[in-house]
Amino acid sequence: MTPRGRSRGRGRSRGRRRVSGRLQRIESGAAFVILDEGDEDVYVRARDLGTAVDGDRVTVRIDDRGRRGPRGTISEVLERARSHLVGVFRDARGQGWLEVTQPKLGIDLFIPARHRGEAEPGDIVVVEVTDWGEEGPGPAGRVERVLGPSGDPGVAVLAIQVGYGIGDAFPKAVEEAARGLAARGIQPADLEGREDCRADRVITIDPVDARDHDDAISIERLAAGGARVGIHIADVSHYVREGDGLDAEARERGTSVYLVDRVLPMLPHALSSDLCSLVPGEDRLTLAAFLTVDRGGGLRGTRFARAIIRSAHRLSYEEAQQAMDGETTPATEGDPGLRDDLRALFEVSRTLRKRRRARGSLDFDLPESRVVLDEEGAPVDVRRRERFDSHRLIEDLMIAANETVANWAIEQGVPVLFRIHEEPNPEKLEMLRLLAGEFGLSFPQRNPRPHDFQRLLDAVKGRVEEPVISVQVLRSLAKARYETRNEGHFGLASPAYLHFTSPIRRYPDLVVHRQLARWLAEPASVRRMSRKWLSETARQASAREENAARAERDSVELKKVEFMERHVGDHFAGAISATARFGFFVRLDAYDIEGLVHVSRLAGDYYVHDRTKHALRGRRTRRSYRLGDPVEVQVVRVDREARRVDFDLV
């Protein structure tokens, strides 16, 4: 299989073939067309895009093929990805225009005076596009809705939500259906054929502010020294039936979206945080995977069941860690056996992780940020999220469950959505190899395996270059996606993987649940699923996931920039995290925040970018600024709309 973005041949194309696909814009302003038929991506220069923008379905004429792959020109826009855009309304001498911010398309829209509505300069507005440039000199539109002033903290996040096309309110019929199910609750008929696990000590471990609890765990110690771990996942498929209104809405949304100040669930709250959520002290329906594991983490047996549980404890990660560390908590005080169960579960998870690492699975430990907001939605702090053993416990067990269900699907020939992660792009790997060499580290030149990446990550653990190398490793890897065929998961070094453990918030998990439930009831019925529908669902789920991830990142970056507005003039220590011809980026030590030191602010010399060495070097002084170098900076400028923080060296 040819890697994405690589060429199968060289030389001029004979027939200037036309193909169709989805346009994906990159930072330079150019774009790639991701083809419908899964062939190589086609590169399109910014000047050859015509009126096409990010996300549009287009026809592209392939002009030539080179070492880097095919290059083409957009010949037709088949389908617009969006009809509305969000941005800041500007006005100059009576001429209005939209500075598009959500999504960032690299365009401005002309707004005729008669179509500006009640918009005032500086307002964030929603604009309906009336002309993409086919009929006039450039795109134009009319103001449909004024969200509010751009300086309002809540308005800025709302703009991200609307701009990415993420729905808030559910259709009335969908809400009513969810409320009806919640009001009905669990009836005796729902328990038929279910294994009763209500007497087991079943617990959930989630973030302290979680409202939806997909998964719960339990453990039974075995005489031979191993254990049987119960992994209970909310049985959403019992309530959301294929083809009904709830299902159609969930499929359209694809995933829950977690913006910095709000959650936009895939399912109405009556299901996501009530009837389907595995809250303590309430009967809940689950699909369970029981894994029999020996002392060394070897899987000795697997069993699936439709079950009913009653969660004994809802623990935060912090509470679970305190209990594992031997501290007395309200939960352990009332239930002394809880601590032993947690420690036994962690021991199982540790042996599972050890085996996973031995086969080459990557274990990233990148810093994550949590933006603390006040009651008005303004950022008051940016804190690094701590990663506890309790996080690893849940992560290890969920990975084991996902792999177990994937292996079941393959063994039984069950059509499902797999979670695949392809091998890395060779060009990005070369960049990683060169970067590693700059720090005196080795990395294979050809066909690296997952354990090579992990060896590199382990080598920089605790060193100043750790965040730089970790980010570059992440960038060199392909993006995971959903697919109907199993191609393995490179990052986990797993022959087969899928998503099973979060059906409240991910539609692919719900699809897998339905197939497992059908197989438990009538094995032959699982093969009736439409392969065409499954393939379309895989593409849509992957697109929805990417859209949600971008919106989530954008909302966090927005609040980080807002936070830095109060620090203009302040000094911070940091390290150079990236270099470019126009300057270098610095990541602060105190906060997971990046800013730019522009090359124009490097006085006393003319600096040239050395891409190979990832450095800026002065021609006269030979002074250099290299990736990973520690620096001290001052915050000199913050641009909220551009999501940009500018630094000066101190």
Side-chain angles (χ1 to χ4, degrees):
M1 184 177 67
T2 303
R4 297 173 76 84
R6 301 292 288 177
S7 173
R8 288 194 178 93
R10 299 181 62 181
R12 195 102 179 140
S13 174
R14 293 182 178 180
R16 293 204 169 191
R17 187 166 62 104
R18 284 176 168 80
V19 290
S20 61
R22 186 76 62 181
L23 190 76
Q24 190 173 88
R25 185 175 177 269
I26 57 179
E27 286 187 20
S28 67
F32 285 92
V33 177
I34 314 302
L35 302 187
D36 294 335
E37 299 303 317
D39 206 341
E40 299 173 77
D41 300 345
V42 180
Y43 176 74
V44 182
R45 296 174 298 190
R47 66 174 183 257
D48 296 328
L49 290 172
T51 66
V53 298
D54 185 67
D56 289 348
R57 281 201 70 249
V58 299
T59 297
V60 58
R61 183 190 69 222
I62 297 178
D63 296 327
D64 62 40
R65 290 179 179 270
R67 289 182 302 172
R68 292 177 177 265
R71 180 179 63 80
T73 301
I74 302 301
S75 57
E76 183 183 2
V77 177
L78 301 174
E79 178 186 340
R80 292 290 179 184
R82 51 187 65 83
S83 59
H84 294 76
L85 299 173
V86 177
V88 182
F89 180 76
R90 305 295 189 191
D91 191 337
R93 300 180 184 145
Q95 297 292 322
W97 76 91
L98 180 74
E99 184 180 303
V100 181
T101 59
Q102 306 298 334
K104 295 176 183 177
L105 301 177
I107 62 172
D108 292 335
L109 258 74
F110 173 63
I111 310 292
R114 67 182 184 279
H115 288 159
R116 64 182 290 172
E118 299 180 358
E120 297 291 337
D123 281 348
I124 295 181
V125 298
V126 181
V127 168
E128 179 188 14
V129 182
T130 57
D131 177 17
W132 282 101
E134 293 99 335
E135 301 175 8
R142 67 177 184 85
V143 175
E144 187 174 274
R145 179 184 173 192
V146 177
L147 299 181
S150 59
D152 188 309
V155 168
V157 180
L158 177 61
I160 291 173
Q161 177 190 328
V162 175
Y164 280 97
I166 300 168
D168 190 354
F170 288 87
K172 184 178 179 181
V174 172
E175 284 280 14
E176 288 178 350
R179 285 196 294 268
L181 288 168
R184 175 184 178 275
I186 297 175
Q187 299 296 314
D190 299 326
L191 306 186
E192 293 179 8
R194 289 188 180 270
E195 188 168 329
D196 193 342
C197 300
R198 286 175 288 189
D200 298 344
R201 183 186 286 112
V202 178
I203 60 175
T204 63
I205 306 177
D206 289 289
V208 66
D209 55 353
R211 295 181 62 184
D212 52 347
H213 305 275
D214 291 274
D215 56 89
I217 53 178
S218 63
I219 189 165
E220 175 189 354
R221 296 162 188 77
L222 302 178
R228 183 175 295 111
V229 177
I231 301 171
H232 288 272
I233 310 299
D235 190 359
V236 179
S237 65
H238 182 79
Y239 302 105
V240 181
R241 301 302 175 95
E242 190 171 358
D244 67 12
L246 278 165
D247 179 55
E249 182 70 14
R251 184 174 185 267
E252 175 61 28
R253 291 178 178 238
T255 180
S256 295
V257 184
Y258 299 85
L259 301 183
V260 69
D261 67 347
R262 67 197 69 183
V263 177
L264 305 164
M266 184 181 77
L267 297 169
H269 286 293
L271 294 181
S272 62
S273 55
D274 187 4
L275 183 60
C276 293
S277 187
L278 307 182
V279 295
E282 298 288 342
D283 290 354
R284 288 293 183 260
L285 307 182
T286 68
L287 274 179
F290 295 99
L291 311 184
T292 301
V293 183
D294 64 25
R295 287 180 176 178
L299 190 62
R300 297 303 179 207
T302 302
R303 184 171 63 85
F304 302 110
R306 297 166 66 240
I308 181 169
I309 68 166
R310 184 178 297 153
S311 173
H313 301 282
R314 176 174 56 199
L315 303 177
S316 68
Y317 285 110
E318 291 81 1
E319 290 170 330
Q321 190 62 48
Q322 288 169 354
M324 290 162 58
D325 289 343
E327 296 181 32
T328 299
T329 69
T332 58
E333 198 168 23
D335 182 1
L338 173 61
R339 178 179 291 111
D340 290 339
D341 274 9
L342 286 170
R343 286 174 170 170
L345 283 162
F346 178 67
E347 184 58 29
V348 170
S349 78
R350 192 184 63 81
T351 57
L352 290 171
R353 190 183 332 126
K354 186 177 179 180
R355 279 180 169 260
R356 204 170 65 242
R357 285 287 298 268
R359 76 188 186 200
S361 177
L362 290 176
D363 184 17
F364 280 100
D365 200 7
L366 292 173
E368 288 187 50
S369 296
R370 181 172 69 89
V371 182
V372 181
L373 307 177
D374 64 17
E375 293 182 358
E376 302 299 320
V380 295
D381 198 3
V382 179
R383 299 174 184 168
R384 294 186 189 275
R385 292 185 187 272
E386 288 191 73
R387 191 166 182 239
F388 300 113
D389 285 338
S390 55
H391 287 93
R392 295 181 177 89
L393 185 162
I394 294 299
E395 179 182 284
D396 295 333
L397 295 184
M398 296 307 116
I399 289 174
N402 288 334
E403 287 186 325
T404 299
V405 177
N407 290 329
W408 156 81
I410 292 170
E411 290 168 3
Q412 300 296 327
V414 178
V416 293
L417 292 177
F418 290 97
R419 181 69 168 176
I420 70 167
H421 188 220
E422 295 168 304
E423 297 198 357
N425 179 293
E427 290 180 10
K428 292 182 178 180
L429 288 177
E430 179 63 13
M431 291 177 61
L432 176 61
R433 190 182 69 81
L434 292 173
L435 176 61
E438 282 301 300
F439 292 111
L441 303 167
S442 62
F443 190 75
Q445 191 164 8
R446 295 179 180 276
N447 303 319
R449 306 315 304 158
H451 62 79
D452 295 312
F453 290 87
Q454 189 61 56
R455 190 179 296 116
L456 180 60
L457 292 172
D458 291 342
V460 296
K461 194 76 171 175
R463 290 168 54 172
V464 67
E465 60 268 26
E466 180 183 1
V468 174
I469 292 289
S470 296
V471 168
Q472 191 58 50
V473 167
L474 193 61
R475 287 174 177 168
S476 71
L477 298 174
K479 289 182 180 178
R481 71 179 196 276
Y482 297 104
E483 188 53 78
T484 57
R485 64 186 184 278
N486 174 46
E487 294 184 8
H489 195 291
F490 181 86
L492 291 172
S494 178
Y497 196 69
L498 52 67
H499 278 164
F500 164 76
T501 55
S502 295
I504 290 177
R505 61 183 181 88
R506 289 189 306 229
Y507 192 76
D509 303 55
L510 178 55
V511 173
V512 172
H513 270 235
R514 286 181 178 139
Q515 289 293 73
L516 180 56
R518 287 183 182 121
W519 182 79
L520 289 169
E522 184 186 349
S525 65
V526 296
R527 292 171 180 76
R528 298 171 192 157
M529 176 168 282
S530 165
R531 299 298 179 118
K532 180 182 178 183
W533 179 90
L534 198 62
S535 181
E536 291 171 351
T537 301
R539 284 198 299 272
Q540 170 146 316
S542 297
R544 291 290 186 267
E545 176 190 44
E546 175 63 18
N547 189 62
R550 290 167 66 183
E552 290 165 3
R553 284 195 302 268
D554 207 357
S555 73
V556 172
E557 289 304 312
L558 167 70
K559 293 301 177 182
K560 286 181 178 180
V561 170
E562 286 183 20
F563 175 73
M564 292 306 292
E565 286 178 334
R566 69 183 62 188
H567 289 290
V568 172
D570 292 349
H571 292 199
F572 294 95
I576 296 176
S577 56
T579 63
R581 59 178 179 77
F582 52 81
F584 54 82
F585 291 90
V586 174
R587 185 178 299 276
L588 303 183
D589 294 341
Y591 306 108
D592 182 25
I593 293 175
E594 275 190 331
L596 174 69
V597 176
H598 196 272
V599 69
S600 63
R601 295 185 174 274
L602 301 177
D605 206 342
Y606 181 83
Y607 285 85
V608 178
H609 184 222
D610 186 333
R611 291 185 61 190
T612 304
K613 302 292 186 181
H614 296 272
L616 285 177
R617 299 186 187 279
R619 282 184 174 176
R620 181 177 57 82
T621 63
R622 307 307 297 168
R623 183 173 183 179
S624 67
Y625 296 97
R626 301 174 57 215
L627 207 61
D629 283 353
V631 292
E632 186 176 352
V633 295
Q634 180 182 34
V635 183
V636 294
R637 180 173 174 268
V638 174
D639 186 334
R640 187 182 298 195
E641 271 76 35
R643 308 284 196 271
R644 176 171 160 175
V645 179
D646 287 336
F647 294 146
D648 253 354
L649 286 178
V650 177

